[in-house]
Structures are given as structure tokens and as C-alpha cells.
């Protein structure tokens, strides 16, 4: 099993992590720990695209590097945020072009 504090592998019967000294509670592997940042990134991608993009990228990297769940949700957050940012830029360009043509 893995220490919930430092993430290093420890004996399944350990009560205290020999690496960091923290008491072990039933143990959890990094793969079973939540990937809250991926969920937050997905939700934010609908409201605040840039923050959603950043959180989704962090969540996606965490899912790839640590085996954390919700990698697909993080990827969806990245795609939704990128589309939202692209649409905002496109609308801005259209508005600027229309304002220039009116002058």
C-alpha cells in the first residue's frame, strides 16, 4: 500500500509510515485517491474558461503521472475551455472588425 501523506510505498501491515512518520489509516493507493482538481477544472470550464483550462491541465497531468482518476473529465474540461476561449477571441475579432469598418 501507499502512505496517504508522502505517497511512498509501505508495508501493508504498517501502522506508521517509516518514511514520514505519519499514522497510516487503512492505506490508500494513489490510484484510489480523488482527483478533485480535474472535477473543479471541468466545472470551471463552463463559467471561467481560463481557470477551467488551468485546473483541467493540472488534473490531466495528475491523472497521467499518478494514475489518479477522472483523466477523461480533465480532458473534457481542456476541450471545453479551449473552445470557449477560441469563441471569445473570435467574437472579439469580429467586433473589432465591425467597429473599424464603421469608422
Amino acid at each position: 500500500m501507499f502512505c496517504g501523506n508522502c505517497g511512498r510505498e509501505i508495508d501493508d501491515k504498517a501502522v506508521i509510515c517509516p518514511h514520514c512518520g505519519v499514522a497510516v489509516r487503512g492505506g490508500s493507493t494513489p490510484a484510489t485517491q480523488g482527483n478533485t482538481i480535474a472535477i473543479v477544472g471541468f466545472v470551471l470550464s463552463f463559467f471561467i474558461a481560463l481557470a477551467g483550462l488551468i485546473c483541467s491541465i493540472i488534473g490531466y497531468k495528475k491523472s497521467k503521472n499518478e494514475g489518479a482518476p477522472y483523466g477523461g473529465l480533465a480532458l473534457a474540461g481542456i476541450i471545453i475551455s479551449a473552445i470557449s476561449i477560441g469563441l471569445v477571441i473570435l467574437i472579439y475579432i469580429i467586433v473589432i472588425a465591425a467597429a473599424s469598418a464603421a469608422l
Side-chain angles (χ1 to χ4, degrees):
M1 82 174 151
F2 293 86
C3 173
N5 183 55
C6 69
R8 294 179 71 181
E9 190 169 4
I10 58 175
D11 187 86
D12 289 339
K13 298 175 186 173
V15 178
I16 296 175
C17 175
H19 305 288
C20 67
V22 173
V24 178
R25 295 186 200 154
S28 62
T29 62
T32 60
Q33 293 176 353
N35 191 355
T36 308
I37 195 77
I39 297 168
V40 169
F42 178 74
V43 172
L44 281 177
S45 67
F46 290 102
F47 304 107
I48 306 169
L50 185 59
L53 181 64
I54 292 168
C55 291
S56 293
I57 289 171
I58 293 169
Y60 187 72
K61 283 186 148 192
K62 183 176 180 181
S63 72
K64 289 295 183 187
N65 295 339
E66 300 174 15
Y70 305 116
L73 198 62
L75 183 60
I78 292 170
I79 293 169
I80 293 167
S81 295
I83 290 171
S84 297
I85 291 170
L87 286 174
V88 167
I89 291 171
L90 182 64
I91 291 170
Y92 181 74
I93 291 171
I94 291 170
V95 168
I96 294 297
S100 304
L103 294 176

